[in-house]
Amino acid sequence: MSNELYRKIVEISGRNPYLCYQCGTCTAVCPVSVFMDVKPHQIIRYIQLKRIDLEKLKSIWTCLACMACVDRCPRHVDPGIIFEAVRNLVLRRGEDAVDYFKLKDLDKVPTMALIALSRKMTG
Amino acid sequence: MKLLYYPGCTVKRNAIEYEKSSLAVLEKIGVNALELDKWYCCGALYSLAIDDLMKHLGAVRTLIYAQKKSREENTRDLLTICPMCFNVLKRVNKMLREEPEKLETISSFMDEEEPYKFNINVVHIIEVLNKKIDELKKNIIRNTGDTGVSVYYGCTVLRPKEIGIDNPEDPSIIENLLRKLGVKVVDNPYKSMCCGAYHILDKPELVYNNSKTIVEEAYKRGAKVIVTICPLCLYNLRKTIETFDKKVDVKIIYLTELLAYMLGLDHVLDKELIDFFNTVFIHDTKINNSMRREA
């Protein structure tokens, strides 16, 4: 199962997780890593080990694709792009990550936020 | 100077004052922005999965329509003021140019459109203002005195670095522009840290945490005004200030609102905002007069 997930992650991200040497730059520059239980470099490590438990990797939904780690990854593993691939694995099963009834101030927040959120959290 | 202009959803709905002030400033400095009569949602965030070509369609159609218009209007530049629209359109444009097989797949899906020939150049309003700095300088009628102004860039005009308008590690394009116009700029090391963006809808505490760092740092360094170019950053920073126990005396506005004020374009500004500007910026008419003479 994890082999198949690994193959798909590589295929739709176009990145090679094995190039990562765990320097931790991604976690250091991530503006939201304090809100993640499993940190960006740890997610990459789980993927390298093919221990891909999608339930455990919930912190991919906290990533905003701000590109801070992608711009600075010295090995072009580009965690932010790999996380998008992992998000897609979940979304393509038809499991959305957003409950529209629970969103706050939907009437006041700029439209772009709703579109961006829908893009990331629904398939 | 003539440009095609792509507005996007938010400037037509939640950031009307941003569009109004931007277009007025451009007009004043002799830039003719021709709004596209037909455009498609850019999708707000560029899709990062290689096989997810479907999500680029709106942006591709917009680029093709701009291409049609570019022949009629004789300009290849497509102006955006929303940084997310800028980011998506510019990245899609780059992807089409560098990966012909993807362009082919997308084109075969929409064969009613003319082929895209890569002749559109996506630009952000900051780049235009920066190019027209002399025109701006010439038309300034109010200065901002000794009041500290801090800049907040957000993410999407800077990253990824391949499409950014300035060095993402230490951007200075807006500060340099303001300094040349005589504004006292206060630096903020968090000027390109993510404010939390769309998580304001589902994880507001994350936005409050990040935006607090940004606002407090600018305030500590003496800024009375923070200028931004993103409607979502503006909303998030303002919303965060509301959550502070101790009120801070700092206001978040659009860069173009400040420029409109300095250019005397009061008809595009709220009366409340003009009153705020008049209070926060102590005017020295002598400096104003000498600046006019120089011009």
Side-chain angles (χ1 to χ4, degrees), chain B residues 223-249:
Chain B
K224 289 261 190 273
V225 174
I226 299 175
V227 293
T228 175
I229 41 144
C230 174
L232 185 50
C233 297
L234 178 114
Y235 180 87
N236 284 348
L237 296 187
R238 281 188 180 169
K239 195 83 187 158
T240 301
I241 291 181
E242 283 173 24
T243 68
F244 287 178
D245 296 331
K246 216 179 125 212
K247 288 282 159 253
V248 295
D249 188 16

Side-chain angles (χ1 to χ4, degrees), chain A residues 12 62 66 71-72 92 111, chain B residues 14 50-51 159 161 169:
Chain A
I12 60 181
T62 308
C66 77
D71 261 5
R72 288 149 177 153
R92 288 176 193 187
T111 321
Chain B
N14 315 82
I50 287 183
D51 58 351
R159 291 188 297 265
K161 52 182 180 275
E169 295 297 342

